[in-house]
Amino acid sequence: MIEKEGILFFEINRPNIHNAINFEVIEGFRQLVNNVRTNKTSKLVVITGVGEKSFCSGGDLSVFHKLKTAEESYSMLSTVAEVLYDVATLEVPTVALINGTAVGGGCEIATLCDYRLVKKEAKCGFIQGKLAITTGWGGGTYLFEKGMRYDKALKMLTEATPYDSNELLSIGWATDLFEGDKLDALNEFIAKMIVPHSTVLKAYKKQLIRKWEQSQLFERIMEEVKECSILWEADVHHAAVNSFLTKKK
Ligand SMILES: CC[C@H](C(=O)O)C(=O)SCCNC(=O)CCNC(=O)[C@H](O)C(C)(C)COP(=O)(O)OP(=O)(O)OC[C@H]1O[C@@H](n2cnc3c(N)ncnc32)[C@H](O)[C@@H]1OP(=O)(O)O
């Protein structure tokens, strides 16, 4: 995590497995939240993936497949969902700088951010359905908060397949698309946004957070987590994960 001129960068750094999320990465998100809350110097938070291939491929199945029961999965899902809620409700705007594939929980993390800058070649989707579960870190609940047409949001969740960048822009999920260097794209995107004082950015973010608090967003996310944990326990989910992990072996 590095901060430069008020912009705090958080990189998901597991490129050999498409930046899949394990508890170490979640601890990194926890540190990000603590950093923003205590240092008060950040104007913007940017989340991106290391490498050219993936932003994030969601939960690390080689770790999380060991969770078998609803109770075991609920413990992980709720822990991650709570940390990610703290990221979503940071007092400054958040940008998902999508450098590549964002699927599963990776698409959930991109969705909870305030902005999504998507690389032309990137594909993003809630592929959890292919594993016979729903989103489990709040991603479905955040999606319905993003002002997309309801039918487009539901279609994205239930098709459970990665969309290309043009489709992501046309349905209103992507804020903007970029080609070439992601940092150039970020600088261009925020050039007009970073006002001299971050007080204005924080005041606008507060309006959004107030709406989420009044509409009990966190409670609704925890309902999503509970329902995902119930589906997690089913044999069909474990079979789908095993077939992914044993493919090509
Ligand atoms: C935990 C719950 C959470 C939630 O929503 O609540 C979730 O995120 S559930 C969804 C979990 N994520 C996935 O199911 C995505 C799995 N990965 C893929 O679909 C593909 O790997 C993809 C599209 C990201 C890239 O495909 P590509 O063909 O380019 O690469 P490979 O599939 O050959 O992957 C290379 C290498 O990485 C391993 N890998 C990739 N993603 C994960 C992952 N999420 N967890 C663990 N390992 C992953 C893959 O197994 C390959 O390993 P290798 O030993 O080289 O065969």
Side-chain angles (χ1 to χ4, degrees):
M1 177 170 33
I2 49 166
E3 183 163 309
K4 195 172 162 220
E5 294 165 8
I7 301 172
L8 188 59
F9 285 87
F10 180 91
E11 287 190 320
I12 306 171
N13 188 4
R14 305 186 77 211
N16 57 329
I17 57 168
H18 291 273
N19 295 327
I21 302 281
N22 61 5
F23 283 115
E24 198 182 323
V25 176
I26 293 305
E27 188 48 40
F29 276 120
R30 216 188 290 276
Q31 288 165 17
L32 164 69
V33 170
N34 293 338
N35 187 301
V36 174
R37 287 177 176 174
T38 45
N39 290 354
K40 301 283 182 198
T41 54
S42 307
K43 294 181 177 180
L44 194 74
V45 165
V46 179
I47 296 172
T48 191
V50 165
E52 297 300 318
K53 279 191 190 171
S54 285
F55 171 78
C56 174
S57 63
D60 184 338
L61 293 169
S62 67
V63 173
F64 295 146
H65 85 99
K66 297 177 184 114
L67 305 171
K68 298 299 182 195
T69 66
E71 194 181 357
E72 287 168 348
S73 61
Y74 183 82
S75 169
M76 176 278 287
L77 294 168
S78 56
T79 300
V80 176
E82 284 163 9
V83 175
L84 293 181
Y85 181 77
D86 289 344
V87 174
T89 54
L90 285 171
E91 62 177 9
V92 293
T94 53
V95 180
L97 188 56
I98 303 172
N99 56 296
T101 303
V103 289
C107 198
E108 298 187 62
I109 291 170
T111 301
L112 69 84
C113 290
D114 298 313
Y115 300 104
R116 278 157 295 287
L117 295 187
V118 183
K119 189 168 185 174
K120 266 279 199 198
E121 300 82 356
K123 291 197 168 191
C124 308
F126 297 97
I127 57 168
Q128 289 87 333
K130 293 257 168 51
L131 299 175
I133 56 173
T134 64
T135 52
W137 290 346
T141 308
Y142 288 117
L143 186 68
F144 290 120
E145 292 293 324
K146 295 296 165 174
M148 287 168 65
R149 265 178 46 182
Y150 165 76
D151 56 340
K152 299 288 186 186
L154 190 59
K155 188 168 179 284
M156 187 177 181
L157 289 165
T158 51
E159 285 187 347
T161 189
Y163 283 6
D164 68 31
S165 58
N166 289 323
E167 197 160 4
L168 293 166
L169 188 67
S170 73
I171 64 172
W173 185 83
T175 306
D176 212 345
L177 307 185
F178 69 89
E179 291 184 86
D181 183 78
K182 65 180 181 181
L183 296 183
D184 292 345
L186 176 71
N187 290 333
E188 192 182 327
F189 177 71
I190 59 177
K192 300 179 196 110
M193 180 199 301
I194 294 286
V195 293
H197 303 290
S198 60
T199 44
V200 175
L201 295 178
K202 291 178 180 176
Y204 280 129
K205 187 65 187 277
K206 241 186 230 164
Q207 291 175 20
L208 175 60
I209 294 167
R210 202 176 296 130
K211 170 179 171 280
W212 283 350
E213 285 169 347
Q214 286 165 2
S215 66
Q216 297 191 313
L217 175 66
F218 180 75
E219 289 76 4
R220 288 185 281 128
I221 286 171
M222 296 319 282
E223 285 304 312
E224 171 188 319
V225 169
K226 201 184 324 174
E227 282 155 2
C228 180
S229 69
I230 293 165
L231 296 176
W232 188 288
E233 193 168 59
D235 291 343
V236 62
H237 167 240
H238 297 307
V241 173
N242 286 335
S243 68
F244 172 80
L245 291 173
T246 50
K247 78 176 177 356
K248 297 186 211 170
K249 297 284 188 263

